[in-house]
Every structure is written in structure tokens, then in C-alpha cells.
Amino acid sequence: MKQLSKVAILEKIVREHDRLLQTLSLLSDIDWLTTGVLPLPEPGQSCKDVLAHLTAWEQRMILSIEATLTGAPQPIYPTTPRFNEQIFDANKDRSFADIQTDFERSYIASHALVQQLSEEELTRDGIWQSVGYNTYGHYKWARTVVRRWQRAKVRIKDTRQWLE
């Protein structure tokens, strides 16, 4: 990942967030809760679960950056697969409205944090990489998996209609 200026990072955060929201705006109420967007853990994750995933990783990033800047000990997290499982387990029964509200709050907090950082702070201890991965990089990943799932759904529907 190429190091970007603060202005470029903020632009990418906003652009990829907007692109993700545009993709998500095409979902029906049923789509939000339908599993299969991601295959694991069984029975698969929904678009709602993907939003919870993004939120948890943003919150993890915020806590880590705050610890780095204040000299506090870094929070201890499990491995990535285990952390992702914990996110799913903690959020699978939560309402879509609550997940969506948390996602927007987290986006606002992440964006505000980056705005407050100086160019020098962004280059400390991998902060810019963490920001890129957990904001615009993650938004792009989410948009990609949702769009791939949507295309697969359409292909399955078209195949079923053709077979009838």
C-alpha cells in the first residue's frame, strides 16, 4: 500500500464510503438479512453482518491509534479469524437498525480521528496503513463482496427461470 497524504487519505475514505453506501442502497430489506454474502461462519453472513464487521474493525483501529498516540499499551486482540468470529457472534442477533446506526457513528468517528491527526502522526508506527486498511480498503472489500453476491443471486435466479 502506497503512503498517501492526509488529504488523499480523507478523500479516499469519503469516496469509498460513498461507493459502499451506493451499493448498499440497492439492497432490499430481505437482502440485508439473507446469508451467503460471506460463507463463514455457517450458515454464512449477511450484509448486516458485513456492516458489523466493518464497524468492529474501525473501532479496533481507533483504539489502537489512540493507544499509539498516548503511549498507552496496545489493546490485546485475538487472531484475525478469531476476532472475525467474535464480531459475528456478538452481532448476529442484533437488529439491522442498531448495526446501521453503529456503522454510521463509527464512520464519523474514524473520519474525525483522521482529520485530527497531523501528517507526522499519520506516519507513526503504521498508523496510515491501519487507517487505509480499516477504512477505505475495507469499504472497497465490502462493496466487492456484496456486489459479487448480488451478481451470483441474479445468475441463480436467471438459471432457475431458464430451467422452468
Side-chain angles (χ1 to χ4, degrees):
M1 181 184 309
K2 179 184 169 198
Q3 184 170 349
L4 304 173
S5 70
K6 177 179 168 177
V7 169
I9 290 170
L10 287 166
E11 287 173 354
K12 283 187 83 150
I13 290 170
V14 171
R15 183 174 54 248
E16 290 302 332
H17 181 260
D18 288 349
R19 286 177 175 168
L20 174 60
L21 291 182
Q22 184 178 20
T23 296
L24 298 176
S25 73
L26 303 174
L27 298 174
S28 70
D29 290 345
I30 293 171
D31 286 340
W32 277 106
L33 303 176
T34 302
T35 59
V37 177
L38 294 173
L40 296 173
E42 292 288 335
Q45 295 185 49
S46 65
C47 293
K48 178 192 87 155
D49 300 320
V50 170
L51 278 191
H53 173 94
L54 295 174
T55 302
W57 278 95
E58 281 179 339
Q59 292 304 301
R60 179 177 167 158
M61 172 199 72
I62 290 169
L63 292 173
S64 179
I65 290 172
E66 288 172 349
T68 297
L69 296 176
T70 62
Q74 285 290 326
I76 297 173
Y77 294 103
T79 64
T80 296
R82 183 68 190 124
F83 185 65
N84 288 338
E85 275 182 46
Q86 288 175 348
I87 295 166
F88 177 76
D89 290 340
N91 291 285
K92 65 183 175 187
D93 296 325
R94 292 183 61 217
S95 74
F96 168 63
D98 287 347
I99 298 285
Q100 190 174 35
T101 298
D102 286 351
F103 173 70
E104 283 308 311
R105 284 183 186 149
S106 185
Y107 166 73
I108 291 166
S110 297
H111 190 268
L113 174 63
V114 175
Q115 283 181 314
Q116 293 169 3
L117 295 172
S118 68
E119 291 279 349
E120 181 182 327
E121 288 170 327
L122 271 169
T123 63
R124 283 183 55 193
D125 303 314
I127 289 177
W128 69 269
Q129 294 98 326
S130 179
V131 168
Y133 177 77
N134 291 293
T135 60
Y136 61 83
H138 234 155
Y139 303 151
K140 186 175 182 177
W141 164 82
R143 180 171 47 93
T144 301
V145 298
V146 169
R147 289 175 70 194
R148 189 175 298 140
W149 173 73
Q150 287 174 310
R151 284 193 300 272
K153 263 189 1 171
V154 168
R155 282 193 301 274
I156 290 168
K157 182 180 175 186
D158 290 347
T159 301
R160 284 183 184 149
Q161 289 175 348
W162 182 77
L163 291 174
E164 291 176 349

